[in-house]
Amino acid sequence: MSTNMKICFLLILMNHAGTASGQKSDKDLPPLLQKAAEEVIAGKYLNAFLDILHFQGTNVWTTDMPKKIMAYFHAQNVIFTISSLQMSIKNYLENLLYQPKQLLSDFQQINHQQFQTAVKYLFRSKKNRFELGNIVLDLDRIRERIFQSPGGNRTLFLVTLEKCFPTLSSMECVDILSQVLQVSSVSYLQPDVIRSLPKDLPQDTFRNLSAVFKDLYDKTTANAQRTLYDWMKQILQKSYITNELNDSASWVSAENLWILGRYMVHLPLEEIMKISLNEMRLFISYDNATKQLDTVYDITPEQAHAFLERINSSGFDLRNTSTIYRLGLLVCFYDNMEQMDAIVARVLLHQMMKCNQLRGFQADVYKLKAQLLDIAMQNQTLNDTLGSLSDAVVGLTSSQLDSLSPEAVHNAISTLNQVSGWAKSQIMILSSKYLTYEKVLSFYNISQMGALVTGISTQSFHNMNPKELSQVIRGTLSQYASDLSPAQQQGILTKMLASRELSSAVTDIQGAFFKEVCLSDLWKETGFNFSIVKEKELRKSQALFLYELLSMKTATPADLLSLGQLVKGVTCQQIERMSTDSFLNNFRFFEKNLQLLSPYQVNCLAWKFWKASNTSIPPFLLSVLPAQYLESLSGTSCVPFLISLGKTELDLMIVNLHKKNTVLQKVQECLNGSIGDEYDVDILGNLICHLPPAIIRNGISLRAMAIALHQFRFCRQLSHEQKTEIKYKLTELYGIPKNWTAQTTQDIGPFVALLSKDELTVLAEKFPNTILQIAKTARPASLPEEFLSAVFESIRNSGTSIRASDPTTDCTGITAPSSDEIIKLADANAFWSVQELQCLDTDTFTKNVEFLGTVMSFNRSQLIVLKEKAKQVWGALPSWKSYHIVSLGRIALALNESEIEALDLSSIDTVAALSQQTEWTFVQAKSILQEFLEDSGQTVHGLKSFDLAGLGANLCALNTTDIKTIKTTEFSAVIGRVGLLPCRTTVLEEFKKMAESVFGIAAGWNSSIIQEIGTIAAGLNEREFKALDKDMMPYFQPAAIRHIPDEVFKELSPEQIANLGPENAAMVTESQRNHLNALQLQSLQLALDGARTSVQDTQTSASTIRSTHTPASNCAHFSSGFSIWFCALYILCPTS
């Protein structure tokens, strides 16, 4: 604490002190308490607190002890009261939570006994309260706050490393380190910290600590993993040298391999080849060896081959099935294929089901499985061997699967239902075959299908027995709900809701399925209680309706808000109507579910909190209020503000760029333009994603950057300028890329893509698998063209693939893509030329068409040549089956109007798959719609709700006459889905009329209806918009605002525009804005700023804000019941 702070404490305490009774000698005070009293006077509150805790734990605390302490203070001419002493220590401890570096410094100054006491109460004590007479401290709360405070865990870890091993028994220290590491992100387990780990630990302690690090392997960076391996190796080598009985050339014994665990992947090849054959034989004989080898996800082919060679040389026959079962992930690189029989091939295939867990090398695994598949099927039919091929069946082509008998699929279902990685077309084929054999779709049949359940047709689901269907959606289907098409989901729901009483049907609909229940169906049932919402995911329109309905019943706000999903439905008016006590008591539910709230709701919460208790408003809420409310934040209130805001997602709370920049300006002021160390990074949290480029370049120290880089990797939308500065920092931190290690390249991850083409080429040659993994795991849109080009050239020039060209076309001198290359390249496949794609041989195209259909960067010319290749391979368009069409993915976008008309689109499931593509032209969409109607023999009037759901954006191609013929009951069931479509104005206007046939005239619509119908609300005319209550404006979906025609939008009143809310105001287009007058533009700015509207006072001057909030701002972070004494301390004695 600063000197000013200590003096301030004493002034306050003496001002409130009572005179201690009696004049006792300091000899009456036990030595430990006398020491604690002296530490209090010296301002060493942590030391004093720990001494008192230790005394109380080892002595009887008598009732006269407080009087003796007070007498001692009096003898030293310092006057305290019991209550003021309690408050001083409590406030000091709480203040440390915002000063992790001070916490570290104070912990470093405590002695061995005090450290033992701290450990006892932080990690080993089951006490949740500490009482000394009238002094009561909440130990649970202190523990929780330290563990959850930014930097708190880092401090505990560093202090434990520094003080634990010299003070406590080694085993105790391992237990404590384990506890600290388990409750944290482990980002502070950096190489420099690891190097400081003790290297002279007792053997048992070393083993236990190694076990802790093995459990944390996936949480640590690649450089940290390598450094931990080096630390373990150093100790193991030392132990090996001191053991005179060792006669092996290598320190890597069977036992040491077991101790290394997953860190064995860091063994160099030459070390693996030196392992004694006796030790290798002993290791593989361990029962736990297989479990360990099952976890070496990042092993390389070279290392795996070296281990396999040593295992084979040690006397284990690699063709023996019992040996194969022991190999773990080493089987993924099995290379002893000569004269292999079918039985061994099948055993290997079965073991290789785990190979999808490998970090990379999937193309190699795919190739090996294909070879084993051929061996496993020698002299047998596919029908006979299907059940013994494990997940290699994923490598079978659609035509091979289509040739299977229904009986063969039925017999193999216990294997097929365990397989992952199916393509959609494969699922459709196998599901159809299985159900052809079963004939009747039942709960039992579906429960046997695993992922294949998503291939059941919409009509089949709709034809199921309702009772069986209700069991299915609680069972197998609940796992795969997100993989079902809109048509399938709607087919299931309509059958369930139509066949039984609504309330019981709704009760059975769990999880994400409930989101598909339409608002008009919920309207029909008023007997719901709040338990109906448990374990259900809600759309916002459902939440708005249900919260309003349930709040009128006996349920309290706490009952409703504690359900989580219902917070989506709380309106600004309902928040405003809460009493102050009710609001403050229930605010924790809003805070816990902040990610579910809209920016408008967060703004309403901020205004309510300001009005209810502006002295304790959580600092992050100040960011959504108008800019002047942030002006008062400074000094001591900065750190709580940064911590509070860093725990939120700024993009979800503030959508307006100008307002966000204002908030970030305050963040910069609080940082004073610099981020000095890892503790500053801890405090920033998610705010690090929003740091301006200038601070990244000049404000982040290299020490902080090493930690910040890990945080930057989780940022969703870094700007080009931010990325440029990160690139600059990378070279400053790690040197030029050609000198980077594999671990550094891995840790830098997606930021490797920022390098120049030449730099990338060097890295791709050195670490090809690392670069491929980065390309596969990054979002395609986030990868620059130069990076993908470097990946493409690296794979293309590797020359390891076997390529075959189409013999029917002129491919002389052209090297066609191979399956191996296509799998490795992912989105970099876009760099194949049209001629190279044209030369794809039939087998390669057939095996990879579905994969090629996912490449987002293909241009139209590439898509057209792939479409032509499909026609060449599959024959005339009318002969194409549904699974052919579905497997095309984006390639289908190249189909022209006449080609679409030639397809068989009689199945809504085929159309639903086509509807997943979002780049159809109006002409193509119209053709798909017309062809579906013709091939299915339906009219628009006859469309079911699941047909409408499956047609998706193709509905935008309907003409106004046809829209009028849609049945109201069918339309009402999918109105929420239709409201997501970006249709043209004339179509939205007609859909709006349909919505009125469901919900009544637009003038009577409430917030839940407006939210439910989405973009359809943009079809309202000028008169209808004018008639809308201004309080309805925030409940338009943001997409609807963009779709309101300019000439209609300009007719909104200033009050309506001011009530749009921050999110909807940010959606106003430049064209709409240009049509507004000065008063409307002023109202729009108020909405963007989050200014007060109807439920708040209209204006508050900046001067009033400052006078109200400046003193209290220093206490803003004490919203969780913190002491007002600490506020008083800052108000009366501001720190310098």
Side-chain angles (χ1 to χ4, degrees):
M1 300 178 75
S2 67
T3 304
N4 283 357
M5 191 78 161
K6 293 175 193 170
I7 294 170
C8 186
F9 255 123
L10 294 176
L11 283 172
I12 293 173
L13 296 172
M14 286 192 287
N15 187 46
H16 292 273
T19 303
S21 59
Q23 295 280 329
K24 301 282 185 181
S25 159
D26 58 7
K27 292 180 181 177
D28 292 333
L29 196 61
L32 191 57
L33 289 185
Q34 183 177 326
K35 177 173 174 282
E38 290 167 356
E39 287 164 336
V40 168
I41 295 170
K44 297 181 177 180
Y45 292 102
L46 180 61
N47 303 62
F49 177 58
L50 293 172
D51 281 339
I52 292 169
L53 280 176
H54 179 61
F55 179 86
Q56 189 264 356
T58 56
N59 295 272
V60 177
W61 186 269
T62 58
T63 54
D64 65 339
M65 209 66 79
K67 291 181 180 180
K68 290 181 179 181
I69 294 173
M70 292 301 104
Y72 181 83
F73 284 137
H74 190 77
Q76 304 300 317
N77 295 320
V78 178
I79 308 301
F80 286 98
T81 65
I82 292 291
S83 59
S84 62
L85 177 60
Q86 174 188 358
M87 197 60 64
S88 298
I89 295 177
K90 179 183 176 186
N91 286 330
Y92 164 74
L93 291 171
E94 287 174 342
N95 187 42
L96 282 183
L97 298 176
Y98 292 107
Q99 301 177 37
K101 281 181 281 190
Q102 183 65 46
L103 180 63
L104 176 62
S105 175
D106 285 5
F107 260 121
Q108 286 172 330
Q109 293 174 36
I110 64 178
N111 61 36
H112 288 181
Q113 182 58 65
Q114 289 165 338
F115 178 73
Q116 285 182 310
T117 303
V119 165
K120 174 182 175 181
Y121 283 98
L122 276 174
F123 299 107
R124 298 203 296 260
S125 175
K126 295 183 179 179
K127 278 189 175 184
N128 52 19
R129 290 161 63 86
F130 172 71
E131 299 182 21
L132 292 176
N134 294 327
I135 300 176
V136 179
L137 285 174
D138 187 342
L139 292 176
D140 269 351
R141 181 67 174 152
I142 290 173
R143 288 187 200 104
E144 180 187 351
R145 296 295 307 286
I146 290 177
F147 288 138
Q148 292 182 357
S149 67
N153 279 330
R154 186 186 296 278
T155 290
L156 289 177
F157 177 71
L158 294 176
V159 169
T160 302
L161 272 186
E162 179 182 328
K163 288 189 168 289
C164 191
F165 288 101
T167 305
L168 303 177
S169 78
S170 298
M171 295 300 285
E172 283 182 290
C173 292
V174 171
D175 182 52
I176 293 165
L177 281 173
S178 176
Q179 288 186 59
V180 176
L181 288 167
Q182 294 291 350
V183 295
S184 66
S185 66
V186 214
S187 63
Y188 47 75
L189 198 58
Q190 293 295 308
D192 58 331
V193 174
I194 296 166
R195 291 186 196 102
S196 69
L197 289 168
K199 298 176 180 64
D200 54 353
L201 295 170
Q203 195 172 37
D204 286 347
T205 303
F206 167 68
R207 287 186 179 186
N208 287 334
L209 189 54
S210 298
V212 171
F213 291 138
K214 281 193 283 187
D215 290 341
L216 297 169
Y217 188 92
D218 286 322
K219 292 185 179 181
T220 50
T221 63
N223 269 311
Q225 290 167 2
R226 177 69 197 191
T227 311
L228 281 166
Y229 163 78
D230 289 337
W231 172 78
M232 294 165 77
K233 179 183 77 170
Q234 199 171 349
I235 295 174
L236 292 171
Q237 280 181 324
K238 183 179 177 182
S239 173
Y240 168 79
I241 292 168
T242 57
N243 188 343
E244 297 178 357
L245 298 177
N246 287 321
D247 56 358
S248 170
S250 171
W251 60 271
V252 186
S253 64
E255 184 179 20
N256 288 353
L257 271 175
W258 176 243
I259 291 171
L260 283 172
R262 290 182 62 182
Y263 292 91
M264 66 187 283
V265 300
H266 294 279
L267 285 165
L269 289 177
E270 57 272 19
E271 196 66 66
I272 297 171
M273 297 307 293
K274 286 195 300 184
I275 298 173
S276 155
L277 296 182
N278 286 334
E279 294 296 333
M280 184 57 77
R281 183 164 52 251
L282 187 59
F283 173 70
I284 291 297
S285 299
Y286 283 169
D287 289 338
N288 284 328
T290 304
K291 188 184 295 184
Q292 179 168 322
L293 291 172
D294 276 344
T295 64
V296 288
Y297 310 121
D298 43 354
I299 197 167
T300 66
E302 296 77 17
Q303 289 172 316
H305 290 148
F307 274 114
L308 287 169
E309 194 278 330
R310 295 309 280 168
I311 292 167
N312 190 50
S313 300
S314 72
F316 279 91
D317 181 2
L318 292 183
R319 298 207 175 186
N320 187 298
T321 54
S322 64
T323 302
I324 292 171
Y325 286 129
R326 290 180 172 274
L327 295 178
L329 290 176
L330 297 182
V331 297
C332 308
F333 305 97
Y334 194 92
D335 57 356
N336 191 3
M337 308 290 285
E338 292 181 14
Q339 298 180 337
M340 181 183 290
D341 63 37
I343 294 174
V344 173
R346 288 175 202 148
V347 171
L348 279 166
L349 285 173
H350 178 73
Q351 289 301 103
M352 288 183 74
M353 288 184 77
K354 63 186 85 166
C355 293
N356 58 4
Q357 299 176 75
L358 280 175
R359 309 274 164 82
F361 310 110
Q362 290 302 321
D364 298 327
V365 172
Y366 183 84
K367 189 189 301 182
L368 177 56
K369 284 183 179 179
Q371 293 173 321
L372 292 170
L373 191 62
D374 289 340
I375 297 171
M377 292 173 58
Q378 281 177 357
N379 303 320
Q380 295 189 72
T381 66
L382 184 57
N383 280 329
D384 294 332
T385 58
L386 183 64
S388 61
L389 300 179
S390 301
D391 67 348
V393 291
V394 169
L396 297 172
T397 64
S398 296
S399 57
Q400 285 176 304
L401 293 176
D402 202 23
S403 68
L404 288 167
S405 70
E407 184 180 7
V409 174
H410 171 265
N411 292 338
I413 197 67
S414 61
T415 298
L416 302 176
N417 64 16
Q418 298 176 52
V419 174
S420 59
W422 292 113
K424 182 66 178 175
S425 58
Q426 293 175 312
I427 289 175
M428 291 173 70
I429 295 167
L430 291 171
S431 177
S432 175
K433 297 275 184 187
Y434 177 71
L435 296 177
T436 298
Y437 182 87
E438 295 293 344
K439 296 186 173 56
V440 177
L441 196 58
S442 67
F443 167 69
Y444 174 77
N445 294 338
I446 290 179
S447 67
Q448 301 299 304
M449 295 180 70
L452 299 181
V453 74
T454 59
I456 298 173
S457 72
T458 297
Q459 193 63 56
S460 296
F461 276 130
H462 193 66
N463 292 341
M464 268 190 79
N465 178 289
K467 281 188 178 180
E468 302 252 14
L469 198 52
S470 68
Q471 288 179 289
V472 165
I473 69 165
R474 291 198 302 271
T476 306
L477 273 182
S478 63
Q479 298 177 56
Y480 302 102
S482 60
D483 297 323
L484 296 174
S485 72
Q488 288 170 310
Q489 291 178 350
Q490 193 58 40
I492 292 166
L493 281 175
T494 50
K495 185 58 174 275
M496 284 194 66
L497 294 173
S499 59
R500 35 195 309 213
E501 184 185 5
L502 185 64
S503 60
S504 63
V506 167
T507 302
D508 284 342
I509 300 172
Q510 299 293 317
F513 271 111
F514 191 82
K515 284 180 72 175
E516 303 304 317
V517 178
C518 65
L519 186 63
S520 57
D521 276 336
L522 292 180
W523 268 25
K524 298 170 187 174
E525 178 60 54
T526 57
F528 294 132
N529 59 44
F530 73 93
S531 63
I532 198 75
V533 185
K534 288 181 179 177
E535 298 178 5
K536 290 180 170 61
E537 196 175 334
L538 305 180
R539 293 199 313 278
K540 184 164 184 178
S541 58
Q542 295 171 321
L544 284 162
F545 168 72
L546 288 170
Y547 190 91
E548 175 70 23
L549 174 70
L550 297 173
S551 63
M552 292 187 292
K553 300 190 176 188
T554 56
T556 65
D559 290 333
L560 301 179
L561 297 174
S562 64
L563 296 172
Q565 288 282 320
L566 273 182
V567 299
K568 296 177 184 178
V570 185
T571 66
C572 211
Q573 291 74 23
Q574 288 163 339
I575 291 171
E576 186 63 21
R577 286 198 296 267
M578 287 183 184
S579 69
T580 297
D581 286 345
S582 175
F583 174 77
L584 294 177
N585 288 335
N586 291 306
F587 179 75
R588 68 185 188 279
F589 297 120
F590 291 112
E591 197 168 18
K592 181 182 177 182
N593 296 289
L594 202 60
Q595 76 282 359
L596 299 179
L597 301 177
S598 69
Y600 178 67
Q601 286 176 301
V602 176
N603 184 253
C604 295
L605 289 172
W607 279 117
K608 177 67 176 181
F609 218 124
W610 179 264
K611 183 177 176 182
S613 180
N614 64 14
T615 58
S616 62
I617 184 170
F620 75 88
L621 288 180
L622 292 174
S623 66
V624 303
L625 296 176
Q628 58 265 40
Y629 285 77
L630 279 176
E631 291 175 10
S632 59
L633 275 171
S634 61
T636 53
S637 55
C638 262
V639 173
F641 170 68
L642 293 175
I643 291 173
S644 179
L645 198 58
K647 290 180 178 178
T648 67
E649 291 287 347
L650 196 62
D651 287 332
L652 298 181
M653 292 203 308
I654 305 173
V655 288
N656 176 247
L657 184 60
H658 176 73
K659 183 168 179 60
K660 192 180 296 179
N661 287 337
T662 303
V663 173
L664 293 175
Q665 184 60 44
K666 176 56 65 176
V667 169
Q668 290 180 66
E669 289 175 21
C670 282
L671 290 170
N672 202 18
S674 68
I675 300 163
D677 58 23
E678 59 272 28
Y679 284 102
D680 290 342
V681 177
D682 290 340
I683 284 170
L684 276 173
N686 296 331
L687 281 175
I688 203 158
C689 300
H690 305 281
L691 290 177
I695 284 194
I696 296 175
R697 175 179 273 252
N698 301 314
I700 304 183
S701 71
L702 288 183
R703 178 178 172 182
M705 187 63 193
I707 310 298
L709 181 64
H710 182 72
Q711 296 292 94
F712 279 128
R713 289 183 62 170
F714 297 102
C715 299
R716 293 176 185 169
Q717 287 185 312
L718 291 170
S719 69
H720 173 72
E721 293 75 19
Q722 284 175 307
K723 290 177 180 178
T724 301
E725 299 306 337
I726 290 171
K727 175 188 173 183
Y728 172 84
K729 278 290 186 184
L730 288 177
T731 53
E732 195 178 345
L733 185 63
Y734 296 115
I736 57 175
K738 72 176 184 179
N739 294 334
W740 289 355
T741 63
Q743 288 78 30
T744 295
T745 307
Q746 195 175 329
D747 285 342
I748 288 170
F751 297 118
V752 167
L754 305 176
L755 301 176
S756 69
K757 180 78 174 289
D758 291 342
E759 291 169 327
L760 284 166
T761 301
V762 170
L763 287 177
E765 289 173 1
K766 283 177 69 179
F767 315 118
N769 184 61
T770 301
I771 299 300
L772 283 176
Q773 276 300 98
I774 291 168
K776 275 189 174 296
T777 53
R779 288 176 290 113
S782 69
L783 295 174
E785 191 171 303
E786 276 200 337
F787 176 76
L788 292 174
S789 175
V791 170
F792 178 79
E793 290 180 14
S794 169
I795 297 300
R796 184 85 186 280
N797 298 333
S798 66
T800 58
S801 302
I802 300 171
R803 301 186 181 97
S805 298
D806 185 350
T808 63
T809 55
D810 184 13
C811 293
T812 307
I814 297 174
T815 307
S818 68
S819 287
D820 191 31
E821 290 168 328
I822 290 170
I823 293 169
K824 287 180 179 177
L825 285 171
D827 225 47
N829 278 296
F831 287 88
W832 295 112
S833 69
V834 167
Q835 291 76 19
E836 287 167 327
L837 292 173
Q838 195 169 20
C839 289
L840 274 168
D841 77 297
T842 298
D843 189 51
T844 303
F845 175 81
T846 303
K847 286 181 176 178
N848 297 286
V849 59
E850 203 128 5
F851 191 87
L852 292 168
T854 65
V855 177
M856 297 304 295
S857 306
F858 276 143
N859 60 36
R860 181 155 182 81
S861 298
Q862 291 168 312
L863 293 175
I864 287 174
V865 78
L866 288 170
K867 173 200 71 177
E868 294 300 324
K869 177 61 66 175
K871 289 162 72 174
Q872 177 190 329
V873 173
W874 295 334
L877 292 168
S879 67
W880 284 12
K881 296 185 178 180
S882 182
Y883 64 78
H884 288 131
I885 300 169
V886 168
S887 67
L888 286 174
R890 284 192 74 244
I891 300 170
L893 295 169
L895 294 165
N896 59 36
E897 188 177 358
S898 61
E899 288 171 328
I900 291 170
E901 289 172 0
L903 295 172
D904 177 6
L905 297 183
S906 58
S907 166
I908 190 58
D909 298 296
T910 309
V911 175
L914 292 176
S915 298
Q916 290 178 359
Q917 304 303 324
T918 58
E919 304 162 74
W920 297 110
T921 65
F922 177 78
V923 171
Q924 286 175 311
K926 189 172 183 180
S927 297
I928 291 170
L929 174 65
Q930 292 301 324
E931 194 58 28
F932 169 66
L933 292 172
E934 288 179 21
D935 290 350
S936 63
Q938 295 191 79
T939 62
V940 174
H941 177 70
L943 292 176
K944 303 292 184 187
S945 62
F946 52 77
D947 293 323
L948 296 172
L951 282 163
N954 298 305
L955 290 173
C956 293
L958 285 167
N959 60 46
T960 55
T961 303
D962 282 335
I963 292 173
K964 290 174 184 175
T965 68
I966 298 174
K967 292 176 183 175
T968 302
T969 51
E970 304 300 332
F971 182 78
S972 68
V974 291
I975 195 167
R977 282 202 174 273
V978 176
L980 299 174
L981 304 179
C983 300
R984 61 193 190 281
T985 301
T986 53
V987 171
L988 293 177
E989 287 172 346
E990 206 57 50
F991 281 149
K992 186 268 301 182
K993 294 174 185 175
M994 291 292 299
E996 286 187 305
S997 67
V998 177
F999 296 117
I1001 61 170
W1005 288 353
N1006 61 22
S1007 58
S1008 60
I1009 296 172
I1010 289 173
Q1011 177 65 210
E1012 172 86 346
I1013 65 175
T1015 55
I1016 295 172
L1020 293 170
N1021 59 37
E1022 297 170 16
R1023 176 181 53 79
E1024 290 165 333
F1025 263 113
K1026 285 182 177 180
L1028 276 182
D1029 189 301
K1030 64 182 184 299
D1031 290 336
M1032 294 297 105
M1033 300 308 295
Y1035 302 103
F1036 279 80
Q1037 287 189 25
I1041 300 298
R1042 290 198 304 268
H1043 281 83
I1044 300 173
D1046 297 347
E1047 62 276 9
V1048 175
F1049 190 80
K1050 71 184 177 71
E1051 297 303 319
L1052 294 176
S1053 70
E1055 290 77 18
Q1056 286 176 313
I1057 293 174
N1059 275 270
L1060 280 170
E1063 187 176 20
N1064 283 346
M1067 293 300 110
V1068 174
T1069 66
E1070 191 62 33
S1071 177
Q1072 289 170 328
R1073 186 189 289 263
N1074 290 337
H1075 284 74
L1076 302 181
N1077 61 37
L1079 190 56
Q1080 288 173 312
L1081 287 171
Q1082 186 179 353
S1083 295
L1084 182 61
Q1085 193 58 50
L1086 286 173
L1088 288 168
D1089 288 344
R1092 296 185 176 198
T1093 52
S1094 58
V1095 293
Q1096 292 95 11
D1097 300 329
T1098 310
Q1099 290 291 328
T1100 303
S1101 69
S1103 60
T1104 305
I1105 294 163
R1106 289 193 195 96
S1107 64
T1108 305
H1109 192 55
T1110 299
S1113 68
N1114 296 320
C1115 312
H1117 51 289
F1118 299 114
S1119 60
S1120 302
F1122 290 165
S1123 169
I1124 197 67
W1125 277 85
F1126 204 31
C1127 292
L1129 174 128
Y1130 276 108
I1131 295 166
L1132 295 173
C1133 306
T1135 56
S1136 56

